[in-house]
């Protein structure tokens, strides 16, 4: 599975959009990009995933660059409850095995 | 829908004691995963099952750790004897059989070995 690189920490003002970047320059054509987050004292929570098209759900939007070497998770209107560690993970589509969690980005939403 | 259920949420015990962690996956999910999270090592996979059969246990630290899945709705992770370095948060996750499906995690068991 391809390696990912994320900034260790970011701040965001409450009510503003939070844009979390992820670099996955060695991604292969059959690898998906997944995003999870972990709020303190809870288990990782699935947010969204995609292959090459932009994706949106009730939680967030995922923007994947055309060359697929990087992506951005967008929380359109961040709230204090979005403060968490956000993980970007790349995994081969048909491999139902483990998710390789890196260090992630610690997002702090400030009032 | 009920998510992945883990018990107990917290466990404090003395070194040398046997510890058993329990997990109930989401109904209909065919994959079950056990992870361990520490400050030093982050979140790491210990073992995973498909249709109750262990597929990869290469992450199990040593023979003191064992995991079973006697049926589709229950799994245990056992540590015997426990040691202080086993202190961590242990997570269970499950996912459906279909490819490209995300894993859904429980809220973990926080284990402290004194």
């Amino acid at each position: 599975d391809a390696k990912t690189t994320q900034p260790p920490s970011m701040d965001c003002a409450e009510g503003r959009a939070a844009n979390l970047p992820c670099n996955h320059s060695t991604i292969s054509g059959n690898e998906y990009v997944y995003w999870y987050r972990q709020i303190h004292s809870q288990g990782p929570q699935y947010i969204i995933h995609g292959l090459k098209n932009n994706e949106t759900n009730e939680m967030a939007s995922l923007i994947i660059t055309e060359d697929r070497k990087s992506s951005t998770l967008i929380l359109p209107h961040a709230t204090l409850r979005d403060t968490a560690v956000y993980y970007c993970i790349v995994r081969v589509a048909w491999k139902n095995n483990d998710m390789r969690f890196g260090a992630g980005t610690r997002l702090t939403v400030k009032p | 829908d009920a998510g992945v259920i883990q018990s107990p949420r917290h466990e404090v015990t003395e070194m040398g004691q046997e510890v058993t962690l329990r997990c109930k996956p989401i109904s209909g999910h065919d994959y079950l995963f056990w992870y361990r999270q520490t400050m030093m090592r982050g979140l790491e996979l210990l073992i995973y099952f498909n249709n109750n059969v262990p597929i990869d246990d290469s992450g199990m630290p040593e023979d003191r750790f064992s995991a079973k899945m006697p049926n589709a709705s229950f799994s245990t992770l056992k540590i015997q004897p426990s040691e202080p370095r086993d202190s961590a948060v242990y997570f269970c996750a499950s996912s459906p059989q279909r490819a490209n499906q995300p894993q859904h995690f429980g809220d973990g068991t926080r284990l402290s070995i004194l």
Side-chain angles (χ1 to χ4, degrees), chain A residues 28-96:
Chain A
S28 300
N30 59 4
E31 290 180 315
Y32 278 67
V33 180
Y34 291 78
W35 282 85
Y36 280 74
R37 73 180 182 184
Q38 188 172 22
I39 297 170
H40 183 61
S41 298
Q42 297 181 19
Q45 178 189 24
Y46 166 74
I47 301 173
I48 199 168
H49 73 286
L51 181 62
K52 55 183 177 181
N53 297 320
N54 297 338
E55 302 287 344
T56 296
N57 63 21
E58 65 278 4
M59 290 182 67
S61 294
L62 173 61
I63 308 298
I64 302 175
T65 57
E66 193 168 340
D67 63 8
R68 302 188 66 240
K69 293 184 177 182
S70 65
S71 61
T72 301
L73 179 74
I74 301 172
L75 307 178
H77 306 286
T79 70
L80 299 180
R81 288 182 294 180
D82 291 321
T83 292
V85 178
Y86 287 77
Y87 299 97
C88 169
I89 300 161
V90 171
R91 191 182 75 167
V92 175
W94 57 81
K95 287 176 68 176
N96 276 354

Side-chain angles (χ1 to χ4, degrees), chain B residues 63-79:
Chain B
D63 293 344
R64 298 184 297 105
F65 285 69
S66 62
K68 294 182 180 179
M69 193 164 186
N71 57 62
S73 60
F74 183 67
S75 177
T76 60
L77 178 67
K78 187 172 293 187
I79 308 172

